[in-house]
Amino acid sequence: MDTILIIDDDDQLRKSFEKLMVEEGYRVRTAASGEAGLEEMRAAVPDLVILDMRLPGMGGLETFRAIHALEPKLPVIIMTAYGTTETAIEATKCGAFDYVLKPFDIPGMLALIAKALEAGRFMRSPVDLDAMSTEASREAIVGRSPAMQAVYKAIGRVAATNATVLIRGESGTGKELVARAIYQHSDRADKPFLVINCVAIPETLLESELFGYEKGAFTGAVHRRIGKLEQANGGTVFLDEIGDMPFGLQAKILRLLQERSLERLGGRQTIPVDVRIIAATNRNLETAMVDGRFREDLYYRLKVVTIWLPPLAQRRDDIPALAEYFLARHAAEAGIENPGLSAEATALLQGAPWPGNVRELSNTLQKALIFSRGAPLAVEDIAQATEEAVASAEPAPRGSDLRGWAMQMLTTGKDEDRFDRCMDAVASILVREAIDLCGGNRSKAAKLLGLSRPTLHAKIDKYGLRIETAVKED
Ligand SMILES: Nc1ncnc2c1ncn2[C@@H]1O[C@H](COP(=O)(O)OP(=O)(O)OP(=O)(O)O)[C@@H](O)[C@H]1O
Ligand SMILES: [Mg+2]
């Protein structure tokens, strides 16, 4: 349970805020002054501080500075009323997580609190490299395959430098985990680590989130706002999904990398910023570049130090250790005893295709744990955990993984219609790819597949491909 420390001299606000937070499942401590707040901090460090700017005695900004000096990685949300916004902005410049204007809306505040807590966790929970123990309480990058050893070496080589790092690999291969490990092993480990997901935010918002803006920069810019890049000064910014970053913004990031400075939106002043950039993507940047979706100059600037995370299917030797690690973690989280894995179940896991990579393996074990009855997880438990996925979504056999996929199909699910299910799975992929290749034109796709149009239509219906936007009426 996360603990939130609220520092505000307004008794009424403290009380109602505390009630709300407790209802949300947080543990709450309160203090009526900066001095009392610091006292609380020294007694036990909370997971988040919510701090009012206008305080009697020691002022809000001074209190923030003292908190930040004590615990530089502790997220602090500043509350401010009209008249103290300048100091609130000053606090974000000095590393406060964000500020809100009183009176604030509750859903917005709750979302911000969740975001701040996550940022704090990111910074503080350590990631062990190549952990031998499967101690469930610590996060670790698990695996000793040659591919993973190369990753550890790369992390070791680049961590202590200020080099920009690009992490590449399919979805679920552990890119975010590697980014955190680099940060934690760097000289900047005691400075902020901010995560920006480039795909989750609309372009204009992403730009102001990253670069900040001056008052009046656009309609609605009532106050100056410090962007995340400036806020993380001295620290590290993780640009996740950079392959999806809007083209226009890419130029601004390139400039930041080259000149180590930025301008806020609507601002004339050039502000020097010292941030280390770690970027990640599961996109094929080379194709994106050819298609004109990714800037060539940024590509070359980023790729100098690249860490590749291979798909899980290319490091099957790691699967037993990963499986044990996840089982221990999920069991601990669920508060149940770790049932362990039977040898057959391990073999099954090791042979599966894992198109969703490590994340999928983790999810599968979490589900399998539900079916366990104290005894070591057996093939049936794993099968049951994967059954839904096998029955509903396409199991996606891919390239050299066809054999692994076949093996999984043969050892999971019901026998009755196995052959037909497998054929359908393959056929649905063929049809989808053909339609994509033909730009959504079904006549062309039918011709390409050597099928009549009605037959193709029947297949589209059968595989539920109609819902896909890729399928256009021709
Ligand atoms: N080698 C590993 N050892 C332990 N856990 C791992 C490893 N690789 C990945 N994980 C775990 O698997 C999950 C997915 O990893 P992560 O979020 O880092 O993937 P990603 O590459 O960023 O995926 P996406 O492209 O979808 O964002 C996380 O819970 C992560 O902790
Ligand atoms: Mg990720």
Side-chain angles (χ1 to χ4, degrees):
M1 199 197 280
D2 288 310
T3 304
I4 302 176
L5 172 61
I6 301 167
I7 310 178
D8 196 319
D9 61 329
D10 181 341
D11 296 340
Q12 199 52 48
L13 185 135
R14 259 192 347 262
K15 282 212 189 79
S16 51
F17 212 164
E18 172 164 15
K19 187 162 166 282
L20 175 71
M21 294 293 108
V22 169
E23 276 166 12
E24 288 296 317
Y26 297 117
R27 202 177 295 133
V28 177
R29 283 152 57 201
T30 59
S33 69
E35 290 87 345
L38 284 168
E39 230 13 74
E40 287 287 330
M41 282 266 313
R42 287 198 189 91
V45 182
D47 299 291
L48 170 70
V49 176
I50 301 178
L51 170 68
D52 190 32
M53 267 295 104
R54 205 193 304 258
L55 288 172
M58 188 175 183
L61 188 59
E62 205 185 327
T63 306
F64 169 72
R65 289 209 167 104
I67 292 174
H68 197 56
L70 272 178
E71 289 291 330
K73 293 191 196 185
L74 180 65
V76 179
I77 294 176
I78 305 281
M79 288 187 294
T80 176
Y82 185 75
T84 51
T85 42
E86 273 311 312
T87 34
I89 291 165
E90 188 59 33
T92 49
K93 244 200 241 176
C94 304
F97 184 76
D98 210 336
Y99 73 85
V100 289
L101 280 170
K102 280 181 179 176
F104 44 81
D105 72 298
I106 292 171
M109 186 61 162
L110 290 177
L112 186 62
I113 287 172
K115 233 168 102 182
L117 283 167
E118 162 138 318
R121 254 194 301 278
F122 258 63
M123 277 187 246
R124 288 178 298 166
S125 75
V127 177
D128 294 341
L129 288 192
D130 182 27
M132 274 302 278
S133 80
T134 48
E135 199 189 322
S137 59
R138 284 176 77 91
E139 270 195 280
I141 308 184
V142 176
R144 336 201 88 193
S145 58
M148 286 314 288
Q149 287 184 26
V151 170
Y152 304 139
K153 270 196 206 128
I155 293 174
R157 254 198 321 271
V158 299
T161 70
N162 269 331
T164 303
V165 183
L166 177 64
I167 306 167
R168 296 184 64 174
E170 288 177 9
S171 185
T173 46
K175 297 185 292 297
E176 187 181 300
L177 209 54
V178 167
R180 281 168 53 196
I182 294 174
Y183 157 70
Q184 282 160 2
H185 290 84
S186 76
D187 300 339
R188 295 170 178 243
D190 58 344
K191 299 281 175 17
F193 177 70
L194 292 183
V195 182
I196 307 281
N197 189 324
C198 303
V199 78
I201 318 174
E203 174 160 7
T204 44
L205 227 87
L206 180 60
E207 183 167 17
S208 52
E209 177 98 352
L210 283 170
F211 292 89
Y213 50 79
E214 293 294 343
K215 182 176 174 175
F218 47 84
T219 341
V222 217
H223 298 284
R224 168 189 294 164
R225 183 157 196 96
I226 305 299
K228 292 281 181 229
L229 292 167
E230 196 178 337
Q231 215 180 334
N233 209 350
T236 309
V237 171
F238 176 41
L239 296 176
D240 203 1
E241 319 286 4
I242 198 167
D244 295 272
M245 178 177 271
F247 199 75
L249 257 189
Q250 292 171 20
K252 293 189 88 167
I253 292 293
L254 179 69
R255 240 200 79 203
L256 170 81
L257 289 173
Q258 286 169 338
E259 292 166 29
R260 304 263 152 215
S261 64
L262 58 79
E263 276 134 39
R264 300 183 193 123
L265 270 92
R268 285 199 206 96
Q269 189 194 353
T270 300
I271 302 157
V273 285
D274 164 32
V275 284
R276 185 207 199 154
I277 302 284
I278 301 176
T281 184
N282 56 21
R283 297 267 172 202
N284 183 330
L285 291 183
E286 291 73 17
T287 316
M289 212 163 56
V290 173
D291 294 349
R293 280 178 291 115
F294 203 81
R295 290 183 68 102
E296 209 175 325
D297 43 13
L298 181 58
Y299 170 79
Y300 285 110
R301 187 74 177 64
L302 283 176
K303 78 167 219 164
V304 178
V305 181
T306 300
I307 296 180
W308 282 95
L309 285 168
L312 186 56
Q314 284 174 26
R315 40 178 159 125
R316 293 188 183 277
D317 288 351
D318 289 342
I319 291 178
L322 277 164
E324 271 173 37
Y325 168 77
F326 286 126
L327 206 55
R329 272 190 83 93
H330 293 315
E333 262 170 42
I336 54 179
E337 206 173 315
N338 182 352
L341 272 166
S342 71
E344 297 78 28
T346 307
L348 173 63
L349 292 172
Q350 206 167 4
W354 304 121
N357 295 297
V358 185
R359 181 182 291 119
E360 189 186 1
L361 175 64
S362 168
N363 291 343
T364 302
L365 285 161
Q366 191 172 19
K367 269 196 236 153
L369 203 52
I370 304 170
F371 303 120
S372 79
R373 281 161 227 88
L377 291 188
V379 168
E380 297 82 59
D381 302 319
I382 305 288
Q384 214 172 335
T386 40
E387 187 147 355
E388 282 163 53
V390 171
S392 58
E394 106 218 359
R398 297 194 300 194
S400 59
D401 291 333
L402 256 176
R403 279 188 59 203
W405 170 80
M407 158 102 154
Q408 194 196 17
M409 292 302 283
L410 289 170
T411 46
T412 60
K414 295 184 213 68
D415 293 341
E416 293 95 80
D417 53 354
R418 176 169 288 123
F419 187 83
D420 289 339
R421 265 189 294 126
C422 293
M423 289 303 120
D424 280 350
V426 176
S428 87
I429 294 169
L430 257 179
V431 169
R432 181 174 307 179
E433 291 297 323
I435 292 172
D436 265 1
L437 193 65
C438 298
N441 185 317
R442 296 182 196 189
S443 304
K444 283 191 193 153
K447 190 157 175 288
L448 182 68
L449 288 164
L451 294 174
S452 70
R453 264 186 55 115
T455 311
L456 178 67
H457 274 263
K459 297 217 179 295
I460 289 171
D461 273 346
K462 182 169 180 191
Y463 306 134
L465 299 181
R466 215 176 256 294
I467 45 164
E468 299 250 325
T469 49
V471 181
K472 279 187 280 190
E473 289 299 332
D474 41 28

